[in-house]
Amino acid sequence: MDGGTGGGTAGGPAGDAFDDAAERAFLVALLPCGDSEADQDAMVAFWSALGLEVTYRQRRPYRVVSFGRGGIQLQYYGMPGWDPELSHSTCVVVVPDTEPVYETFAAGLRSLYGRLPASGAPRVTRPRRRANNAGLAGFSLVDPAGNWVRVTRAPDPGTEFATGEGGTATWTPGGGGALARATENAVVLADSKDDVAQARRALSGAVRRARRGETPPAPGELAPALAYLAELAVRAGDPLAARDLLTELEALAAGTGEADEAVRAAAAEARATVADAIP
């Protein structure tokens, strides 16, 4: 029985041609934004500052603007009445290393806003290893239209991943205790799922439980938890709590001496993340 003329089998000539086409293909993310000239201008200013080039712009009969840099290709279409707060649109950018991409984006954000925005739209998170992404480093950039551009490091060739429930690639930091795992879970909740309130509640509870335990939490586990709580406080619109957490974290770093690089790094990260937002 003829299955139709439009397809081919995996091993036949059509399948070979499809493999060749797929090998040469590239994908353009289509994302919504507001439908006014000002909305389109805002997207142009945003992505131009972050290092992408305008590759196409159309105003009539409907608005379209495209940006590109190497393999990063984004196209925005105007949508009347668009509300960034209601956006659920997203895309993933896979790169060999997230750090240079983050630093370029961060420099652009600072040039536009004088700071790194941590709440609202636009905003950005810091690169972190994600337990729900096999431990690969990633960060999220939310554009002015509320779309999530998720940047993740590509796995090394031949990497094999452990899979958890539902086939999700999992990762657990080596040597980490309960507080380290709670911090990783909070990162998944807030940075991947945008549930800042639940991440903050869960991590605050984990810190309280760790402090009530028979053995005080190790500074190397407590410091990253406090640093992330400070960032979550800023993202939740609670700069006073962020200030108190930063003060506590810096006191912890000062009391551990020069040997504990992880504690000093956590304090420096928190300072850079929340300094612009705290009174």
Side-chain angles (χ1 to χ4, degrees):
M1 181 175 180
D2 189 349
T5 60
T9 58
D16 293 341
F18 175 78
D19 288 341
D20 181 66
E23 191 71 26
R24 298 166 182 264
F26 63 91
L27 187 147
V28 179
L30 300 179
L31 302 170
C33 67
D35 195 40
S36 71
E37 184 80 4
D39 291 323
Q40 198 175 66
D41 286 344
M43 300 309 301
V44 170
F46 180 80
W47 282 114
S48 297
L50 271 60
L52 271 61
E53 299 176 353
V54 178
T55 57
Y56 178 73
R57 183 167 183 173
Q58 173 181 295
R59 292 176 173 85
R60 285 185 291 272
Y62 48 85
R63 295 190 186 277
V64 174
V65 60
S66 300
F67 304 93
R69 181 77 175 264
I72 303 174
Q73 302 290 326
L74 304 174
Q75 184 174 109
Y76 289 85
Y77 57 92
M79 180 174 287
W82 180 249
D83 183 352
E85 293 295 323
L86 300 180
S87 176
H88 64 274
S89 300
T90 187
C91 64
V92 177
V93 179
V94 182
V95 296
D97 185 359
T98 59
E99 285 295 336
V101 181
Y102 173 78
E103 291 300 333
T104 298
F105 286 0
L109 290 167
R110 290 189 183 98
S111 72
L112 274 179
Y113 307 107
R115 59 184 178 84
L116 284 182
S119 60
R123 65 184 182 274
V124 68
T125 65
R126 290 188 170 274
R128 294 184 177 89
R129 299 176 76 179
R130 303 271 180 90
N132 63 334
N133 193 31
L136 298 172
F139 70 91
S140 297
L141 174 74
V142 180
D143 67 24
N147 305 291
W148 282 60
V149 179
R150 303 171 189 268
V151 182
T152 183
R153 186 179 74 79
D156 296 327
T159 300
E160 295 184 3
F161 300 112
T163 55
E165 185 178 353
T168 303
T170 60
W171 168 76
T172 301
L179 189 53
R181 291 192 296 273
T183 303
E184 293 299 331
N185 290 336
V187 169
V188 172
L189 284 169
D191 288 14
S192 292
K193 299 183 178 180
D194 198 29
D195 194 344
V196 173
Q198 179 59 27
R200 194 180 179 197
R201 285 193 295 270
L203 187 53
S204 295
V207 170
R208 287 194 299 270
R209 289 191 297 274
R211 284 174 164 160
R212 289 198 302 261
E214 295 181 2
T215 303
E221 286 197 11
L222 179 59
L226 295 177
Y228 195 54
L229 276 175
E231 179 178 330
L232 292 175
V234 169
R235 291 162 66 178
D238 192 354
L240 294 179
R243 182 190 63 188
D244 292 343
L245 285 160
L246 181 59
T247 299
E248 181 180 359
L249 181 56
E250 291 184 328
L252 179 66
T256 56
E258 292 296 316
D260 204 329
E261 176 62 31
V263 177
R264 296 200 310 279
E269 177 181 314
R271 193 180 309 113
T273 302
V274 309
D276 293 329
I278 62 177

